[in-house]
Amino acid sequence: MSLSEITARVAKAAETAGRSMDDLSLIAVSKVQPNARVEAVLNEGHRIFGENKVQEAAGKWPAFRERYDGIALHLIGPLQTNKVKQAMQLADAIHTVDRAKLANTIARHAQELGTCPDLFVQVNTGEEPQKAGVLPKEADAFIAEVRALDLPLKGLMCIPPVDEEPSLHFALLGKIAARNDLTGLSMGMSSDFESAIALGATHIRVGSAIFGERDYG
């Protein structure tokens, strides 16, 4: 599927939900994708991309930014505290703030750097032990903790369990955001972004549907 086909599907889902495309960011998830595929999407005019790993982002995006204006890079993978400063210098947004130590490290570097990317708190809506994110019952307290650090918290992010109906998790994330006066909802991927848009997603993360299947070889 091409970028234009995905964009058309996003536009249709937004129209069906009575929403404006201006309220939606399509993040092209370029992790583990060859540079040639990424460049093809850049040449089509797309400028919002997502990476999982700081090291991979550092090896790819500075060079692209020299050649293409207006790139916005979102980090959507787990973030180690020892990679925070590098992440903050590379990224326009970090979607995976999920623990106090990480939030405090971001706050410290924000003071040093004088700037901070937009932040999203990751919520483990499925309460899966192997998955990162704060538990739903702990989300309100953690959101307050992040805000107390004077950080630019824009919203929440989730990755639903693969074997459950994603819309239940999108609805839960939306409720947590609403009661905390947060407008950003990073949710929805290649297989379920239409239902995420219907339930208020502001940032959808689409990889394989744009780039093709990843080659982890």
Side-chain angles (χ1 to χ4, degrees):
M1 207 169 286
S2 67
L3 174 65
S4 59
E5 288 174 296
I6 292 296
T7 304
R9 281 175 58 190
V10 169
K12 185 176 180 183
E15 184 183 3
T16 301
R19 300 184 58 202
S20 167
M21 278 286 281
D22 294 339
D23 298 329
L24 282 167
S25 292
L26 170 59
I27 301 170
V29 180
S30 47
K31 65 176 185 178
V32 202
Q33 293 292 352
N35 282 359
R37 284 188 188 176
V38 178
E39 191 154 16
V41 173
L42 279 162
N43 286 333
E44 284 187 73
H46 196 74
R47 290 293 181 270
I48 308 171
F49 292 84
E51 291 285 346
N52 263 39
K53 295 182 177 177
V54 174
Q55 192 171 352
E56 184 180 352
K60 185 185 295 181
W61 288 100
F64 279 137
R65 277 189 156 132
E66 285 182 12
R67 296 169 49 212
Y68 296 91
D69 291 333
I71 288 171
L73 185 62
H74 294 245
L75 282 174
I76 58 174
L79 181 57
Q80 299 168 305
T81 51
N82 65 343
K83 297 277 176 59
V84 163
K85 186 173 184 179
Q86 188 180 19
M88 291 174 69
Q89 291 170 317
L90 279 167
D92 299 279
I94 296 171
H95 290 234
T96 51
V97 181
D98 64 351
R99 59 200 187 279
K101 185 181 178 183
L102 178 58
N104 281 295
T105 304
I106 291 171
R108 179 163 50 82
H109 287 300
Q111 288 291 321
E112 290 173 18
L113 297 168
T115 184
C116 186
D118 291 342
L119 301 178
F120 292 75
V121 163
Q122 182 173 356
V123 182
N124 185 351
T125 54
E127 302 187 27
E128 298 173 275
Q130 80 283 9
K131 196 172 278 183
V134 296
L135 296 176
K137 64 186 176 187
E138 297 166 1
D140 293 354
F142 184 63
I143 288 164
E145 207 175 327
V146 174
R147 282 181 160 149
L149 293 168
D150 198 27
L151 292 170
L153 181 61
K154 300 300 180 184
L156 308 178
M157 181 270 240
C158 75
I159 305 170
V162 293
D163 56 351
E164 292 185 21
E165 171 53 51
S167 61
L168 299 174
H169 296 270
F170 300 154
L172 173 59
L173 197 73
K175 284 178 185 172
I176 297 170
R179 69 175 181 246
N180 285 283
D181 295 318
L182 288 167
T183 55
L185 287 171
S186 172
M187 59 189 197
M189 297 188 281
S190 290
S191 61
D192 55 24
F193 65 81
E194 277 118 338
S195 66
I197 290 169
L199 287 162
T202 57
H203 295 70
I204 55 173
R205 311 178 305 269
V206 179
S208 55
I210 292 173
F211 293 101
E213 292 302 318
R214 295 183 186 93
D215 178 7
Y216 288 99

